[in-house]
């Protein structure tokens, strides 16, 4: 291809007779830049100018298209052309009618403007050469014009809309500008041509259908009052994009998928590159299905652009990377081919030409050698798209004969309903008894007809999955409890019935983890995770995107719910990765800790915004949050609470809002709001349980401390057990200066010279006091931590050695994690190296067994032989260091 575009008449004639005709009609268009028409012209003159403008502009675009200009550039320029013509026609007709009737106003007297929403290809800025434009006319508020001949706003804007359509759509001796289609408005052709925002909102809320949600993915204001149009789209966004993965749309998408295939057969198969199998519509359906299903949780999918959405699907790994790449390559090829078919004669057609002359033109336009070469490439792309389209919703053929699982479910229902007394095979009796018990509960659940229909499809799938997975009957019972819990939100049943692999995985994990089973049963939204193809990937990769819905939210309540959902979803991913051996216990603890940190960071931002909205800002305030305990040590578990301390410095005398607070009141309100957001109950539960008793003076102290007060307390009044806790503390979020100064206070406090005998005595006393206060360690998890030679003995031993040795070796004060502290003690020979090595080995074994016990163990589970041996060794080290044999 030449670097200089070929604009010769022979070049055009050989590829686009339509463009060649335009070139003869507008011989001066090669170098001239078309200018938009003046909307002050008389209507007839404007209409003629619009057609000239369109033809001149279109000629330049076709030339560039035939010279292989970038596809997005071509489609974007065509879309801009349509928007310019729409705006010129709209301004013209609004001004003409306003001269006659006065401008339209609402009841408050504010000027009202018409908004034009584009749908389809124009909405996505991906218009093709001879496309019609799908638009919806609407206006913000009702009222009437203020001129001498008053009419209602609806009448005014309806006349404007009709004028716009005529100016663009009517065919004259100069052709047309764009074909206009307004059938995507509420109620279609039977509905009003123009509607108020309130009418649109009410319609979508009460009567909107799934195909309209699908269409609204492409909605974009393109003319008129664009700012109001954006606000309207923001208002109806919850109708289009559901907060959770939208399983209720699966059935509708499946119907749409079948309708697309039916239409493909009706239009003659491969001849139609838009509606035929593997055509443009199937590629678009593939991408938009992900947008509809997941756009509420992934705001980056909320885009009218096919290419932008496909990029997100690839980046977020929502589908196989090669499949997405094939879809995009095929779509680009088909859109290019579509443009060049339409460039032949400016006809809105998507069919491959049948005449020899047109085929020859298309062969040259597509830069191929022959018709067979062209169709070979086309078929390759269409086959790839068709394959992806077929596998999109995991569609399976309809069953013409009942399966054994269906027979088993029918038998269980029949026995439950006393419909017959047929004997049940002995080998299926336990299973049938369980199913019969479940079936007996269904009439009491008051499920809708739709829910019962979904249950009938789901139950055979569940029974088959149970038989495939060879899990225990108790696992199936857990799945039935979940089924009962979600029957009123039966879209989840549709999800699992359509995704056998997700159902298999759910049962497999339920069989391994009572904790996970309880989480999913209590919070069914977690079922979202089972169909996410990224579930098997590293949770560390998913963590940065986990808070997308929170970050895109508006009000505090919505964002808090999104934050809870994100936290639970990520916890589930981490648990599954640990159960399946993809990450170690140490990695799981660090990921859970990082998840908590990111959650707290967002809660802090949310709290500051809430306080500032009411009380203004506090000049000079530096505020930070310090974590103690397992979060401070980055060793958080699945059910760990958070030990937090709030610190501040530099607060001014009073906040600058209309309702001002003193500095002390302000930081206290901010801390209270943080605690409120962290512990508030939402549909997804609460974020975390929080303990603030490790602050100076415990429960009797102030909720938030100044840095100077905190430093004074730590260095002059803190008890030994508080110094032990400080050894695991670290700054996690807030003003970075607070982090720096807290680290200095911690280091200086830990490195002070101390009476080792006093430290030893205090540590022993606190350990014995804890032993007396704790209830018997009657779970495996409890025994591994609190039992003789357990993790708590290791922690106390390490803390004693740190407090005794930091004055000589200040470097010992740097680490926060138990394993890293032991490494430092070994490095600086702060105690017997063999003993410290024993403790290090024990940490890995006991931590892993305790962590998995949280997910898998019951009260009856016993400590493994390996862990028991470790605990005996730890007990021996304790006795050697403290000279005391533990009684427990």
């Amino acid at each position: 291809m030449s670097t200089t575009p070929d604009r010769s008449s022979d070049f055009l004639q050989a590829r686009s007779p339509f463009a060649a005709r335009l070139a003869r009609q507008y011989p001066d268009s090669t170098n001239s830049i078309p200018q938009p028409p003046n909307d002050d012209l008389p209507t007839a003159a404007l209409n003629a100018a619009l057609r000239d403008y369109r033809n001149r502009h279109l000629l330049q675009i076709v030339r560039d298209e035939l010279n292989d200009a970038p596809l997005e550039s071509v489609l974007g320029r065509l879309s801009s052309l349509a928007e310019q013509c729409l705006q010129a026609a709209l301004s013209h007709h609004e001004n003409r009618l306003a001269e006659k009737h006065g401008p339209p106003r609402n009841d408050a007297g504010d000027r009202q403007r018409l908004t034009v929403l584009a749908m389809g290809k124009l909405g996505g800025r991906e218009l093709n050469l001879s496309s019609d434009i799908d638009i919806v006319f609407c206006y913000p508020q009702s009222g009437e014009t203020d001129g001498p001949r008053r009419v209602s706003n609806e009448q005014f804007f309806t006349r404007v809309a009709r004028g716009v359509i005529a100016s663009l759509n009517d065919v004259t001796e100069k052709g047309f500008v764009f074909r206009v289609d307004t059938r995507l408005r509420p109620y279609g052709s039977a509905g009003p041509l123009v509607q108020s925002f309130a009418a649109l909102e009410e319609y979508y809320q009460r009567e909107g259908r799934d195909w309209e949600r699908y269409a609204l993915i492409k909605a974009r204001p393109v003319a008129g009052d664009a700012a109001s149009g954006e606000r309207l789209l923001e208002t109806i966004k919850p109708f289009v994009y559901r907060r959770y993965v939208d399983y209720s749309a699966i059935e509708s998408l499946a119907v749409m998928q079948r309708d697309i295939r039916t239409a493909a057969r009706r239009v003659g198969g491969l001849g139609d590159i838009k509606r035929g199998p593997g055509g443009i519509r199937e590629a678009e359906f593939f991408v938009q299905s992900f947008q509809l299903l997941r756009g509420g949780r992934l705001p980056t999918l909320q885009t009218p652009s096919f290419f932008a959405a496909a990029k997100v699907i690839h980046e977020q790994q929502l589908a196989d990377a090669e499949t997405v790449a094939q879809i995009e390559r095929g779509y680009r090829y088909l859109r290019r081919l579509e443009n060049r078919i339409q460039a032949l004669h400016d006809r809105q057609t998507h069919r491959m030409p049948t005449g020899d002359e047109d085929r020859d033109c298309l062969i040259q336009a597509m830069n191929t050698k022959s018709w067979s070469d062209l169709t070979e490439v086309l078929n390759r792309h269409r086959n790839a798209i068709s394959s992806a389209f077929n596998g999109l919703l995991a569609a399976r053929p309809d069953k013409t004969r009942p399966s054994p699982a269906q027979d088993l479910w029918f038998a269980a229902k029949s026995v439950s309903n006393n419909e017959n007394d047929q004997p049940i095979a002995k080998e299926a009796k336990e299973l049938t008894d369980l199913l019969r018990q479940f079936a007996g509960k269904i009439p009491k659940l008051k499920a809708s007809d739709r829910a019962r229909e979904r249950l009938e499809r789901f139950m055979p799938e569940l029974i088959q999955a149970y038989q495939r997975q060879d899990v225990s009957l108790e696992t199936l019972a857990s799945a039935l409890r979940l089924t009962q819990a979600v029957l009123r939100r039966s879209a989840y049943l549709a999800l699992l019935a359509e995704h056998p692999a997700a159902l298999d995985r759910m049962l497999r994990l339920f069989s391994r983890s009572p904790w996970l089973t309880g989480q999913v049963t209590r919070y069914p939204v977690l079922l979202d995770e089972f169909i996410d193809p990224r579930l098997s990937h590293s949770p560390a990769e998913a963590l940065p995107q986990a808070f997308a819905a929170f970050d895109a939210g508006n009000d505090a309540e919505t964002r808090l719910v999104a934050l809870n959902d994100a936290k639970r979803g990520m916890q589930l991913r981490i648990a599954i990765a640990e159960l399946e051996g993809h990450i170690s216990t140490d990695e799981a603890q660090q990921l859970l800790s990082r998840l908590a940190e990111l959650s707290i960071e967002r809660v802090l931002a949310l709290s500051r915004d809430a306080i500032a909205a009411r009380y203004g800002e506090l000049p000079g305030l530096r505020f930070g949050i310090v974590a103690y305990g397992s979060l401070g040590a980055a060793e958080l578990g699945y059910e760990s609470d958070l030990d937090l301390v709030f610190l501040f410095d530099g607060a001014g005398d009073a906040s600058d809002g209309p309702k001002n607070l003193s500095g002390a009141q302000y930081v206290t309100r901010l801390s209270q709001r943080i605690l409120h957001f962290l512990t508030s109950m939402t549909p997804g539960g609460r974020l975390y349980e929080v303990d603030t008793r490790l602050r100076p003076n415990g429960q009797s102290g102030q909720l938030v401390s100044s840095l100077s007060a905190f430093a004074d307390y730590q260095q002059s009044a803190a008890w030994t057990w508080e110094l032990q806790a400080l050894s695991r503390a670290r700054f996690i979020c807030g003003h970075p200066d607070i982090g720096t100064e807290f680290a200095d206070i911690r280091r200086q406090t830990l490195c002070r010279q101390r009476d080792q005998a006093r430290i030893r005595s205090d540590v022993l006393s606190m350990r014995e006091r804890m032993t007396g206060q704790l209830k018997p360690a009657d779970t495996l998890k409890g025994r591994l931590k609190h039992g003789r030679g357990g993790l708590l003995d290791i922690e106390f031993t390490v803390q004693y050695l740190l407090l005794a040795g930091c004055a000589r070796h200040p470097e010992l004060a740097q680490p926060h994690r138990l394993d890293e502290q032991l490494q430092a003690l070994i490095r600086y020979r702060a105690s017997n190296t063999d003993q410290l090595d024993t403790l290090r080995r024990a940490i890995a074994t006991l931590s892993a067994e305790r962590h998995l016990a949280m997910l898998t163990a019951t009260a009856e589970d016993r400590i493994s032989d390996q862990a028991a041996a470790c605990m005996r060794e730890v007990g021996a080290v304790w006795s050697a260091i403290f000279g005391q044999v533990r009684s427990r």
Side-chain angles (χ1 to χ4, degrees):
M1 176 183 143
S2 171
T3 56
T4 303
D6 193 332
R7 301 180 180 277
S8 67
S9 57
D10 289 343
F11 176 85
L12 291 180
Q13 186 64 46
R15 291 161 177 79
S16 171
F18 162 67
R21 188 175 71 251
L22 286 182
R24 293 191 295 270
Q25 187 176 351
Y26 301 99
D28 60 339
S29 66
T30 301
N31 298 314
S32 64
I33 300 174
Q35 295 300 312
N38 186 342
D39 56 38
D40 288 337
L41 294 170
T43 300
L46 172 77
N47 292 347
L50 282 171
R51 283 151 180 77
D52 280 334
Y53 178 66
R54 180 260 190 182
N55 290 338
R56 289 176 179 273
H57 214 312
L58 196 61
L59 175 57
Q60 291 191 353
I61 295 174
V62 173
R63 281 172 169 155
D64 292 341
E65 161 65 24
L66 293 173
N67 280 282
D68 295 327
L71 179 64
E72 285 94 328
S73 172
V74 171
L75 303 182
R77 288 167 62 193
L78 287 165
S79 302
S80 296
L81 172 62
E83 292 173 38
Q84 292 164 0
C85 293
L86 261 171
Q87 185 59 60
L90 177 60
S91 298
H92 171 85
H93 289 287
E94 274 193 330
N95 293 338
R96 292 296 176 270
L97 278 173
E99 292 171 1
K100 184 177 182 180
H101 300 288
R105 301 190 182 278
N106 63 9
D107 292 341
D110 301 322
R111 174 73 183 267
Q112 301 293 287
R113 299 290 306 280
L114 191 65
T115 294
V116 182
L117 299 178
M119 316 284 270
K121 297 290 197 306
L122 179 56
R125 285 193 56 79
E126 293 159 356
L127 204 63
N128 47 289
L129 278 174
S130 191
S131 177
D132 57 6
I133 54 175
D134 297 292
I135 56 177
V136 173
F137 294 102
C138 50
Y139 59 95
Q141 292 180 311
S142 298
E144 62 179 13
T145 61
D146 64 2
R149 301 173 61 182
R150 296 191 175 190
V151 295
S152 69
N153 288 355
E154 182 180 7
Q155 291 174 304
F156 181 91
F157 289 128
T158 298
R159 294 175 189 177
V160 171
R162 287 173 177 161
V164 170
I165 292 171
S167 288
L168 300 181
N169 193 76
D170 288 356
V171 179
T172 72
E173 67 278 1
K174 291 193 174 185
F176 61 93
V177 185
F178 285 96
R179 303 175 190 86
V180 179
D181 191 337
T182 61
R183 291 174 295 175
L184 289 179
R185 67 186 187 269
Y187 305 107
S189 299
L193 180 61
V194 179
Q195 297 189 45
S196 68
F197 287 4
L200 284 173
E201 292 171 28
E202 183 177 8
Y203 171 83
Y204 289 125
Q205 182 177 356
R206 294 187 177 184
E207 302 186 50
R209 291 157 289 183
D210 283 317
W211 72 261
E212 289 174 303
R213 294 176 55 204
Y214 184 85
L216 284 167
I217 288 173
K218 293 288 191 183
R220 180 174 64 91
V222 292
D225 188 351
S228 293
E230 292 287 1
R231 289 194 292 273
L232 169 66
L233 292 181
E234 193 65 32
T235 301
I236 63 176
K237 186 178 287 185
F239 166 70
V240 184
Y241 299 107
R242 304 295 162 80
R243 184 159 55 89
Y244 302 124
V245 175
D246 187 11
Y247 307 129
S248 63
I250 288 177
E251 292 161 324
S252 297
L253 286 170
V255 171
M256 291 183 214
Q257 190 178 36
R258 288 194 295 270
D259 288 346
I260 291 171
R261 273 293 154 89
T262 300
R265 289 192 294 269
R266 189 168 57 246
V267 300
L270 291 174
D272 192 310
I273 66 166
K274 178 179 180 180
R275 293 167 292 181
I280 291 169
R281 184 168 287 173
E282 290 189 2
E284 291 171 341
F285 183 85
F286 180 91
V287 168
Q288 287 176 258
S289 294
F290 284 99
Q291 293 182 269
L292 199 61
L293 290 171
R294 296 189 172 275
R297 292 282 291 273
L298 280 175
T300 48
L301 280 173
Q302 297 175 12
T303 170
S305 166
F306 172 95
F307 299 110
K311 182 179 179 183
V312 174
I313 293 169
H314 172 75
E315 291 175 343
Q316 296 292 322
Q317 300 176 313
L318 300 179
D320 175 73
E322 181 56 28
T323 299
V324 179
Q326 288 175 341
I327 284 282
E328 187 170 359
R329 284 195 298 268
Y331 186 73
R332 288 179 179 279
Y333 181 85
L334 291 173
R335 292 303 307 275
R336 183 78 78 183
L337 180 60
E338 175 188 44
N339 271 346
R340 295 182 184 186
I341 290 173
Q342 294 180 353
L344 293 173
H345 305 293
D346 192 23
R347 293 174 187 159
Q348 190 187 13
T349 179
H350 308 92
R351 298 191 64 82
M352 295 289 282
T354 55
D356 291 342
E357 188 174 336
D358 284 348
R359 284 189 171 186
D360 288 342
C361 287
L362 191 59
I363 289 168
Q364 294 197 59
M366 293 300 293
N367 300 313
T368 55
K369 296 179 180 179
S370 66
W371 187 251
S372 61
D373 287 346
L374 192 156
T375 55
E376 180 183 349
V377 175
L378 171 61
N379 290 339
R380 185 168 65 248
H381 285 302
R382 295 183 70 160
N383 289 337
I385 292 172
S386 185
S387 176
F389 178 83
N390 288 336
L392 179 61
L393 297 179
R396 296 179 302 282
D398 294 334
K399 297 176 181 178
T400 57
R401 297 180 59 188
S403 67
Q406 287 173 310
D407 291 338
L408 194 55
W409 173 235
F410 178 78
K413 289 190 302 174
S414 299
V415 173
S416 173
N417 295 327
N418 295 316
E419 293 179 3
N420 61 58
D421 56 359
Q422 293 295 318
I424 301 172
K426 183 177 180 180
E427 60 272 14
K429 186 177 187 308
E430 287 187 349
L431 173 58
T432 306
D433 285 346
L434 180 62
L435 295 173
R436 184 174 69 247
Q437 293 169 13
F438 174 74
K441 298 175 183 177
I442 295 174
K444 304 173 185 177
L445 299 178
K446 299 180 180 179
S448 66
D449 291 342
R450 189 179 191 187
R452 290 176 184 273
E453 290 173 4
R454 286 171 168 169
L455 181 66
E456 290 304 308
R457 291 201 305 273
F458 169 71
M459 285 304 299
E461 296 292 342
L462 175 61
I463 294 167
Q464 287 179 321
Y466 162 73
Q467 293 168 334
R468 278 195 305 270
Q469 290 299 307
D470 192 28
V471 294
S472 71
L473 205 63
E474 177 54 37
T475 299
L476 178 60
S478 297
L480 290 174
R481 287 191 288 272
L482 172 64
T483 304
Q484 182 177 337
V486 303
L487 192 55
R488 291 186 179 180
R489 289 176 285 177
S490 59
Y492 288 115
L493 301 182
L495 152 77
L496 293 172
E498 290 292 335
H499 290 81
L503 188 53
D504 286 347
R505 187 167 206 171
M506 184 189 80
L507 287 178
R508 193 164 61 247
L509 291 167
F510 275 19
S511 72
R512 296 190 60 188
S513 175
W515 177 86
L516 188 147
T517 304
Q519 289 288 300
V520 176
T521 303
R522 188 175 179 184
Y523 307 109
V525 68
L526 293 173
L527 287 169
D528 295 355
E529 308 299 334
F530 285 104
I531 67 163
D532 192 330
R534 300 170 297 175
L535 186 62
S536 60
H537 300 162
S538 166
E541 296 175 2
L543 189 55
Q545 291 84 34
F547 300 96
F550 170 88
D551 295 336
N554 294 318
D555 62 285
E557 182 179 357
T558 299
R559 301 182 82 193
L560 192 59
V561 169
L563 188 57
N564 272 272
D565 292 344
K567 177 250 185 176
R568 291 207 177 274
M570 277 306 306
Q571 264 193 334
L572 184 80
R573 286 175 179 270
I574 295 167
I576 291 172
E578 187 175 7
L579 282 169
E580 295 185 340
H582 300 308
I583 60 174
S584 66
T585 294
D586 184 65
E587 290 171 319
Q589 290 177 328
Q590 293 193 56
L591 283 169
L592 289 168
S593 300
R594 184 57 182 152
L595 174 63
E597 293 169 29
L598 292 171
S599 299
I600 296 169
E601 284 178 12
R602 283 161 173 78
V603 165
L604 173 58
L606 199 62
S607 302
R608 295 199 73 150
D609 289 346
I611 295 297
R614 188 168 187 181
Y615 304 111
E617 301 284 353
L618 187 62
L621 174 64
R622 296 183 297 162
F623 184 91
I625 301 177
V626 171
Y628 278 66
S630 56
L631 178 57
E635 296 167 353
L636 206 64
Y638 294 101
E639 295 288 347
S640 298
D641 59 6
L642 307 182
D643 296 293
L644 301 180
V645 169
F646 304 118
L647 301 175
F648 76 95
D649 192 26
D653 293 334
S655 63
D656 58 12
K659 299 175 69 174
N660 58 30
L661 295 174
S662 69
Q665 290 174 316
Y666 192 94
V667 294
T668 299
R669 293 283 177 90
L670 177 58
S671 302
Q672 290 171 336
R673 184 57 60 97
I674 292 168
L675 291 176
H676 170 73
F677 282 147
L678 283 172
T679 60
S680 289
M681 184 61 70
T682 74
R686 55 171 55 91
L687 277 171
Y688 294 97
E689 298 287 350
V690 180
D691 191 338
T692 60
R693 290 175 295 177
L694 287 174
R695 65 186 187 267
N697 294 306
Q699 289 179 314
S700 63
Q702 296 293 323
L703 180 59
V704 57
S705 300
S706 69
L707 272 174
S708 58
F710 180 81
D712 289 344
Y713 181 85
Q714 295 298 328
Q715 295 175 11
S716 61
W719 296 77
T720 298
W721 66 265
E722 291 177 294
L723 301 178
Q724 291 178 249
L726 186 66
S727 72
R728 290 160 62 84
R730 65 189 172 95
F731 171 82
I732 56 171
C733 67
H735 197 288
D737 288 353
I738 297 291
T740 301
E741 294 182 41
F742 167 76
D744 288 341
I745 293 169
R746 176 180 176 276
R747 178 180 50 78
Q748 292 170 14
T749 301
L750 294 178
C751 292
R752 293 183 66 190
Q753 190 69 45
R754 291 185 173 83
D755 182 338
Q756 292 194 24
R758 172 67 182 274
I759 293 294
R760 178 180 174 280
S761 174
D762 287 348
V763 169
L764 279 171
S765 175
M766 177 53 64
R767 184 67 184 95
E768 289 307 311
R769 185 183 307 173
M770 291 182 67
T771 300
Q773 291 174 347
L774 290 169
K775 295 180 180 179
D778 56 359
T779 65
L780 175 59
K781 182 168 68 86
R783 297 195 296 274
L784 288 165
K785 180 169 183 178
H786 301 291
R788 178 183 176 183
L791 286 165
L792 205 57
D793 279 357
I794 300 176
E795 287 180 17
F796 271 57
T797 302
V798 170
Q799 289 160 6
Y800 161 67
L801 295 174
L802 285 174
L803 292 175
C806 277
R808 296 192 310 277
H809 303 291
E811 297 85 353
L812 292 175
Q814 292 181 358
H816 305 82
R817 307 190 74 233
L818 188 59
D819 182 71
E820 292 172 356
Q821 290 170 338
L822 268 169
Q823 290 182 48
L825 289 167
I826 293 171
R827 187 162 54 250
Y828 291 101
R829 301 182 180 277
S831 187
N832 181 288
T833 302
D834 291 338
Q835 293 174 346
L836 297 178
D837 276 333
T838 296
L839 297 183
R840 275 202 69 199
R841 291 193 302 272
I843 287 173
T845 299
L846 299 182
S847 294
E849 190 153 321
R850 183 172 184 270
H851 220 245
L852 287 175
M854 174 69 232
L855 298 174
T856 64
T858 63
E860 293 75 27
D861 286 333
R862 59 182 290 276
I863 295 175
S864 70
D865 292 342
Q866 183 181 10
C870 286
M871 293 176 76
R872 288 193 296 271
E873 292 175 347
V874 171
V877 172
W878 175 278
S879 299
I881 291 177
F882 289 103
Q884 180 191 69
V885 177
R886 299 291 317 286
S887 59
R888 285 189 64 199

